Amino acid sequence: MAEPFDEYPELRLAPLLKGLDNDLLARIFAAGTTETLQAGDTLFAQGEPAKRFYLVVDGRLRLSQVTANGQQVVIRFLTPGQILAIVAALGHEEYPATAEAVEPTKLIGWGGEAWHALMAREAALGVNVVSILTTRIQEMQDRFRELATENVERRVARGLLRLIRQAGRRVEGGVLIDMQLTRQELAEMTGTTLYSVSRILTQWETDGIVRTDKRRVLVRAGHRLVAIAEDLPEDLLTDDR
Amino acid sequence: MAEPFDEYPELRLAPLLKGLDNDLLARIFAAGTTETLQAGDTLFAQGEPAKRFYLVVDGRLRLSQVTANGQQVVIRFLTPGQILAIVAALGHEEYPATAEAVEPTKLIGWGGEAWHALMAREAALGVNVVSILTTRIQEMQDRFRELATENVERRVARGLLRLIRQAGRRVEGGVLIDMQLTRQELAEMTGTTLYSVSRILTQWETDGIVRTDKRRVLVRAGHRLVAIAEDLPEDLLTDDR
DNA sequence: CGTATTTTTGAAGCGATTCAATGGACGTGG
DNA sequence: CCACGTCCATTGAATCGCTTCAAAAATACG
C-alpha cells in the first residue's frame, strides 16, 4: 500500500499513529489495504464475525446498535483519524455494532490477526490504542451519566455540542455542524424521540440559538447551548460573548 | 513487593496478567505496591490528579460519578482481577470518577509513569489492557442502549443479572448477590429512583423471583429475571428450569 | 433502647412519549 | 415543468410511566 500521508498529511497526527517512527509506519501501512465506501454503504453489521479493524482516512461513519425490537441507538460518529472495530484484533467475536458511511468515506483496514500481531510486537502501538480506548470509555461514561440524570433538552444541547467538536466548522453567523442529520438521528444519539427533538429545535430556532436548513444545524449562539447543557442562568453569559 | 500469587492464585488468570511470562510478572510486581482499604474508604476521588493505576486483588470497589448538582451514578463495581484508573498511565489528567471500597479491599497500585513505562516496553501488557478496555466499552455501550430504550423494570432486571455475573454465589434456594446494596445504589446503577426500585423489588418478591434480606438480594428465579430483561413471554420459560 | 438510616406505600404531578394528521422538501419520471 | 411519491418535520392532543413528595413502617446500629 502506498503511503497515504501525501494525500492526507493530517493522518500522521491521528491518535493511533502519533509518535510512531517512519519504519513502523511503513510496516503498518504495508499490512493494511485501503477501502472506499459510498454514502449509505455498510462497512460491517452488528452480529457479523469481526474480521477487520479500521482507521478512518476521510469521510464520516455512523456507529449504531439496534435493540432486539428494532430500535436504533447511535453510539457515535467516526471522523478522519479515528479507529473502529478494535474488537476484531482480539479474536473470534462479533461486531457489537453496525458501521455505515454517511458520506463518501475512505478507510485503511487490517485483518484482525494482522493487527493483533502488530500490537503484540510494537508496544508503542498498543499504548496509542489504550489511550484512544480510555478516552472513549470516558465519553461513554459521561453520556451514560447524562442519560441517567438529565432531561431531554439538556441532552440534546450536549449532543449538539459534541457534534460541534467532531464536525464543527466556523462560518459567518455561527458554527455549522457539517453533516446531514435527521431529527430521528439526533433522537437516537440522545435517547429520546424525533418529536421531542423537533419541538426543542423549533423552540431554539425562535430563540435564535440555532438555525436549521437541509438537515444541517447552524449553531448561532453556542454559549447559550452551553448554558442549557450546564443549567447555568442565561444572564451570566450574555456579556462574555 | 512479594509475589502475591501464593495468597491469591486466581490473580494469575486476571485479564491484565493472563499469558504473561514469569519474568515479566516479577518485574510488574516489583514496580507495584500493595494497598489496603477498609469498607467506605475512598481510593481516589473524581477531579483529583490521576496519579496511580490499580489492580484489584481482593474485595470490592464502587466506581461512581457525581453530577454538577450532586446526583450520583454508579458506573460499575470492581471485583478481584479487574483494573481501574488506567487514565493515570496516560499523563496529566484527572480521575473522571470516584472509587470507594464497599468492603475490605486489597489492591496493587503503580505510579502512572511507571505503568506507562511497562506498557511501552512490553507489548503483551498493552494487548491485555486493550482487551480489557474493549470489553468495558462494549459493556458501557450496552448499558447506554438499555438506558435509552428500555423501561425501568427491565433495566433493574439487567442490573441484577450483571451483578450476578460479578458477585453471584450459588446458595440453596437460588443465587445470592453477595454484597450490601441499598435501593438507592440499585437506582444509581440503573438510572432510576430508589422509589421505583423499591416498588419493583417488592413486586418481584411477591412473585417469588427474588428475596431480599439485610440489603442482600437472593435471586430465586434467574430465568424469570432474564425473561423480564429480554421481554420474553414468561410461559416460554416455565418448563425449562 | 433510642436514634438514624433505609424501605415501603399512596397520591399527585409532570415530562416526555405516543398517536395522528398535516405540511413541506426533494427527486424522479412523465 | 408539473405531477407524484417518498421521506422528513411539525404540531396538537391524549396518555402514561415514572418521579416527586410526604408520611409511616421497618431495620440497622451504637
Side-chain angles (χ1 to χ4, degrees):
Chain A
M1 194 186 113
E3 264 248 5
F5 288 150
D6 307 333
E7 217 179 327
Y8 300 96
E10 342 61 74
L11 212 57
R12 198 182 278 274
L13 302 172
L16 181 70
L17 306 178
K18 207 166 41 183
L20 305 185
D21 61 52
N22 289 329
D23 172 59
L24 177 53
L25 287 173
R27 272 186 295 135
I28 288 172
F29 289 129
T33 56
T34 46
E35 306 191 15
T36 306
L37 297 175
Q38 297 309 308
D41 287 357
T42 299
L43 181 60
F44 53 78
Q46 184 173 343
E48 286 177 14
K51 292 210 171 66
R52 290 178 74 71
F53 163 76
Y54 301 94
L55 169 67
V56 182
V57 175
D58 195 28
R60 212 184 309 282
L61 300 116
R62 180 183 50 234
L63 194 69
S64 63
Q65 275 195 349
V66 285
T67 66
N69 59 42
Q71 283 181 84
Q72 281 227 4
V73 174
V74 174
I75 308 281
R76 57 185 293 114
F77 286 94
L78 293 153
T79 51
Q82 298 196 296
I83 62 173
L84 63 160
I86 184 66
V87 70
L90 301 167
H92 53 67
E93 295 190 66
E94 298 177 353
Y95 289 117
T98 296
E100 288 173 284
V102 294
E103 47 185 87
T105 296
K106 206 168 285 187
L107 309 105
I108 309 177
W110 292 266
E113 330 73 45
W115 188 262
H116 184 97
L118 278 167
M119 278 201 303
R121 275 182 58 97
E122 300 294 340
L125 202 49
V127 172
N128 279 0
V129 174
V130 167
S131 172
I132 293 167
L133 297 183
T134 301
T135 306
R136 221 166 268 190
I137 286 177
Q138 283 187 49
E139 195 188 301
M140 285 306 295
Q141 284 176 0
D142 288 344
R143 290 182 66 196
F144 181 81
R145 178 178 41 72
E146 288 169 20
L147 205 47
T149 63
E150 290 171 4
N151 69 17
V152 170
E153 185 180 25
R154 211 123 92 193
R155 298 206 304 270
V156 175
R158 282 190 198 275
L160 287 189
L161 290 170
R162 232 187 301 270
L163 286 173
I164 285 179
R165 253 172 272 138
Q166 284 170 25
R169 227 185 58 214
R170 272 230 143 271
V171 294
E172 67 162 63
V175 179
L176 181 70
I177 295 171
D178 195 11
M179 56 196 304
Q180 305 235 110
L181 281 170
T182 63
R183 302 287 178 264
Q184 177 67 34
E185 280 181 314
L186 279 168
E188 286 166 357
M189 290 176 56
T190 49
T192 180
T193 62
L194 73 98
Y195 310 102
S196 293
V197 170
S198 175
R199 284 180 235 272
I200 288 166
L201 285 185
T202 25
Q203 182 57 50
W204 285 351
E205 187 132 14
T206 63
D207 292 349
I209 301 178
V210 302
R211 245 182 39 213
T212 62
D213 184 42
K214 306 195 194 233
R215 287 171 222 161
R216 265 171 231 280
V217 180
L218 173 70
V219 178
R220 311 190 61 183
H223 64 291
R224 295 181 65 191
L225 270 192
V226 174
I228 291 167
E230 308 286 350
D231 197 24
L232 303 171
E234 274 278 341
D235 51 332
L236 278 183
L237 291 155
T238 41
D239 40 6
D240 68 358
R241 55 171 316 204
Chain B
M1 195 188 113
E3 264 250 6
F5 288 149
D6 307 334
E7 216 177 325
Y8 300 95
E10 345 58 76
L11 212 55
R12 197 181 279 274
L13 302 172
L16 181 70
L17 306 178
K18 206 165 40 181
L20 304 184
D21 62 50
N22 289 329
D23 172 59
L24 176 53
L25 287 172
R27 272 185 296 135
I28 289 171
F29 289 129
T33 56
T34 45
E35 307 192 16
T36 306
L37 298 173
Q38 296 309 307
D41 285 358
T42 298
L43 181 60
F44 53 79
Q46 185 173 342
E48 286 177 15
K51 292 213 173 63
R52 290 178 74 71
F53 162 76
Y54 301 94
L55 170 66
V56 182
V57 175
D58 195 28
R60 212 183 309 279
L61 300 116
R62 180 182 50 234
L63 194 68
S64 62
Q65 275 195 348
V66 283
T67 66
N69 60 42
Q71 284 180 83
Q72 281 227 4
V73 174
V74 174
I75 307 281
R76 56 184 295 116
F77 286 93
L78 293 153
T79 51
Q82 298 196 296
I83 62 174
L84 64 159
I86 184 67
V87 70
L90 301 167
H92 52 67
E93 298 190 65
E94 298 176 352
Y95 290 117
T98 297
E100 288 172 286
V102 295
E103 47 186 87
T105 296
K106 207 168 287 189
L107 308 105
I108 309 177
W110 292 267
E113 329 75 45
W115 188 262
H116 184 96
L118 278 167
M119 277 201 303
R121 275 182 57 95
E122 301 293 342
L125 202 48
V127 172
N128 279 1
V129 174
V130 167
S131 170
I132 293 167
L133 297 183
T134 300
T135 306
R136 222 168 268 190
I137 285 178
Q138 284 188 48
E139 195 188 302
M140 285 306 294
Q141 284 176 1
D142 288 343
R143 289 182 66 196
F144 181 81
R145 177 178 42 73
E146 288 168 21
L147 204 47
T149 63
E150 289 171 3
N151 68 18
V152 170
E153 186 180 24
R154 212 124 88 192
R155 298 206 305 269
V156 175
R158 282 188 198 275
L160 286 190
L161 290 170
R162 232 187 300 271
L163 285 173
I164 284 179
R165 253 171 272 135
Q166 285 170 24
R169 227 185 59 215
R170 271 230 145 271
V171 296
E172 67 162 63
V175 180
L176 180 70
I177 295 172
D178 195 11
M179 58 197 303
Q180 305 236 111
L181 283 169
T182 64
R183 302 288 178 264
Q184 177 68 35
E185 280 181 313
L186 279 168
E188 286 164 357
M189 290 176 54
T190 48
T192 179
T193 61
L194 73 98
Y195 309 102
S196 291
V197 170
S198 174
R199 284 181 234 271
I200 287 166
L201 285 184
T202 26
Q203 182 57 51
W204 286 351
E205 187 132 14
T206 63
D207 292 349
I209 302 177
V210 302
R211 246 181 39 213
T212 62
D213 184 41
K214 307 197 192 235
R215 288 173 219 160
R216 265 172 231 278
V217 179
L218 173 70
V219 178
R220 311 190 61 182
H223 64 291
R224 295 181 66 190
L225 270 192
V226 173
I228 292 167
E230 309 284 351
D231 196 24
L232 303 172
E234 274 277 344
D235 49 332
L236 278 183
L237 291 154
T238 41
D239 40 5
D240 68 359
R241 55 173 315 204

